[in-house]
Amino acid sequence: MEKIKVGIIGTGFIGPTHIEAIRRLGFVEIVGLAESNQESAEKKAAELGIPNAYGDYRDMLKNDEIQVVHNCTPNHLHFEINKDIILAGKHVISEKPLAMNSDESAELLELAKKQGIVHGVNFNYRQHASVQNLQSMVANNNLGNVNLVHGSYLQDWLLYETDYNWRLAPGVGGKSRAVADIGSHWCDTVQFVTGKKIAEVFADLAIVIPMRKKAKSGIATFSASSDMEQEYDDVPINTEDYASVLVRFEDGSRGVFTVSQVSAGRKNRLSFEINGSKSSAFWNQEEPEKLWIGHRDRANEILLADPSLFTAEARSAINHPGGHNEGWPDALKNMMFNFYTFIKEGKNLNTDKPNFATFEDGHLSMCITDAILESNEDQKWVKVQVGKEVHS
């Protein structure tokens, strides 16, 4: 079978991880790469072994050989580029957030449906093997009725005042930072696992470091923080470093989560606990092979990822025997495998259920973020307004 041909737009942190994951599939070929200018595109294409380089992504979209395009650009570019990809008739995988607000994401979802293309959003944490196993456990009623969900997503990459990155600028990253960037992953993962949508939120957001120092040399965060001779510009911060959010799910069950990008020692700790009427379960992304299962009347358990111990529905999510731990890159690869298998098999999102996050999930994420921002501003419960575009 002829390989599916792919183009990549943007090669910052996430672009090369997409490329690495795609190349592990075997039946997909990356034939083009687009950057902000021709020189940069040619340099990156040579480094990554991609034959065609484009200084303007619009030129790449004219390549009839390319069937799928990955949008790996900064947030403020997502809406325009996603729209152009869809109008070019290409299937699309977008990084989140899907757009800068829910009005834009609703437009993208409607357009993608109209064009009949396959659309995906990189909510990769739902693709961890243990998360897939937990989702099927919940669906099979192993935990009983889900009563409570609580957890956090904690990082420390913006702990110092000298830590600076484009995500801190609202015009580029959006009105929300911590919630849109990492809170969106938490919400998507728990909604996937529980099968329940977040219907209402009450949020408290805070800027922990109101004035940051941006290196005049243009060096981004991490590398500048320890350079005492570096010169800086003071930059006021208008997006949240921290948030705690009370949530009500559509069936009335409750939850709460905290996100922070200033928590020392926490590198990429997405975690959540589900308390059911029979048992509880806890999962932590920094130890993805472990699933804690809690009981009232017998000893608690640690279930290590192992296909022989997984539910029948989740065995396909794990690719190695127990003890051969799979992690973050493997979850991303699982997402790519599911997306491209969907295309290879000629499936249609209007008739076939996908096993990856789509623009519907991306739109719902934007609606939740908008509701959280409104709730923080007005200090009240706010309903998530998904509109007619999103269906369970």
Side-chain angles (χ1 to χ4, degrees):
M1 181 179 175
E2 187 176 349
K3 292 185 177 182
I4 300 170
K5 303 296 194 300
V6 178
I8 306 289
I9 306 175
T11 54
F13 159 68
I14 201 66
T17 67
H18 279 236
I19 292 167
E20 190 271 340
I22 292 167
R23 284 174 168 164
R24 293 170 65 185
L25 302 181
F27 60 94
V28 182
E29 181 181 0
I30 303 164
V31 299
L33 178 153
E35 263 294 346
S36 55
N37 59 71
Q38 190 63 33
E39 181 182 0
S40 175
E42 290 178 1
K43 182 175 182 292
K44 282 291 185 179
E47 290 175 358
L48 297 167
I50 297 173
N52 299 301
Y54 301 87
D56 189 325
Y57 74 89
R58 297 172 188 85
D59 293 330
M60 188 174 74
L61 295 182
K62 297 174 184 176
N63 184 339
D64 293 334
E65 182 184 31
I66 292 175
Q67 301 159 263
V68 183
V69 177
H70 289 235
N71 185 357
C72 302
T73 60
N75 299 358
H76 71 297
L77 301 174
H78 287 180
F79 173 71
E80 180 183 0
I81 292 177
N82 284 334
K83 188 173 182 178
D84 287 343
I85 294 170
I86 295 167
L87 290 174
K90 315 286 189 185
H91 305 304
V92 56
I93 292 181
S94 176
E95 273 299 317
K96 52 83 207 152
L98 189 55
M100 293 290 267
N101 57 62
S102 58
D103 288 337
E104 290 182 347
S105 61
E107 182 180 341
L108 289 175
L109 176 57
E110 183 179 356
L111 184 62
K113 288 182 174 181
K114 182 179 179 181
Q115 292 292 107
I117 56 106
V118 180
H119 44 86
V121 178
N122 186 30
F123 283 127
N124 53 301
Y125 292 103
R126 61 162 70 184
Q127 300 291 351
H128 277 277
S130 289
V131 172
Q132 293 277 320
N133 189 51
L134 178 56
Q135 186 272 338
S136 64
M137 289 171 63
V138 172
N140 292 334
N141 202 38
N142 291 18
L143 273 61
N145 296 326
V146 173
N147 297 320
L148 305 171
V149 184
H150 48 96
S152 61
Y153 197 154
L154 309 176
Q155 300 176 328
D156 69 358
W157 70 287
L158 292 173
L159 177 63
Y160 302 131
E161 65 175 1
T162 50
D163 290 331
Y164 194 84
N165 177 274
W166 60 263
R167 294 181 185 277
L168 289 151
V172 181
K175 293 180 180 179
S176 169
R177 177 172 28 99
V179 170
D181 187 22
I182 57 179
S184 58
H185 275 298
W186 192 93
C187 293
D188 179 77
T189 305
V190 301
Q191 288 177 117
F192 168 74
V193 169
T194 62
K196 300 191 288 191
K197 298 291 191 293
I198 293 172
E200 198 169 4
V201 297
F202 195 119
D204 179 40
L205 278 58
I207 300 170
V208 177
I209 304 176
M211 186 71 70
R212 289 182 179 267
K213 296 183 180 298
K214 180 182 179 182
K216 290 185 177 181
S217 65
I219 298 174
T221 187
F222 306 122
S223 54
S225 60
S226 61
D227 187 351
M228 301 302 293
E229 297 181 0
Q230 179 64 251
E231 293 185 356
Y232 301 93
D233 288 322
D234 289 335
V235 179
I237 301 302
N238 299 299
T239 55
E240 76 281 358
D241 296 302
Y242 154 90
S244 281
V245 184
L246 294 170
V247 301
R248 291 173 180 161
F249 292 92
E250 57 191 342
D251 66 347
S253 56
R254 301 300 207 267
V256 61
F257 70 93
T258 294
V259 294
S260 165
Q261 295 173 322
V262 291
S263 296
R266 299 303 190 186
K267 304 306 177 184
N268 195 43
R269 195 177 191 275
L270 186 161
S271 65
F272 61 91
E273 181 170 320
I274 297 174
N275 301 132
S277 58
K278 296 179 181 178
S279 300
S280 297
F282 171 82
W283 182 78
N284 162 28
Q285 195 278 146
E286 290 185 340
E287 298 178 295
E289 76 283 3
K290 297 179 181 179
L291 180 65
W292 177 88
I293 304 173
H295 304 288
R296 162 74 181 267
D297 52 4
R298 67 180 191 273
N300 297 335
E301 307 169 63
I302 298 291
L303 174 61
L304 295 178
D306 186 330
S308 68
L309 301 175
F310 275 14
T311 64
E313 300 91 339
R315 283 172 193 152
S316 62
I318 190 167
N319 302 287
H320 301 290
H324 298 75
N325 298 341
E326 299 178 19
W328 193 91
D330 302 287
L332 184 62
K333 187 268 293 180
N334 289 344
M335 188 274 174
M336 300 302 175
F337 177 81
N338 291 338
F339 181 87
Y340 281 102
T341 299
F342 194 88
I343 293 174
K344 184 177 72 171
E345 294 178 350
K347 293 183 176 179
N348 188 308
L349 286 173
N350 292 326
T351 56
D352 301 299
K353 184 177 180 180
N355 51 357
F356 53 87
T358 69
F359 276 24
E360 289 201 5
D361 301 292
H363 174 52
L364 175 58
S365 175
M366 291 304 313
C367 294
I368 294 172
T369 298
D370 284 356
I372 288 172
L373 289 174
E374 181 182 344
S375 172
N376 178 70
E377 184 174 347
D378 296 342
Q379 286 297 285
K380 66 178 184 180
W381 283 97
V382 173
K383 293 186 182 300
V384 177
Q385 302 291 340
V386 296
K388 64 181 180 180
E389 293 84 5
V390 172
H391 306 280
S392 298

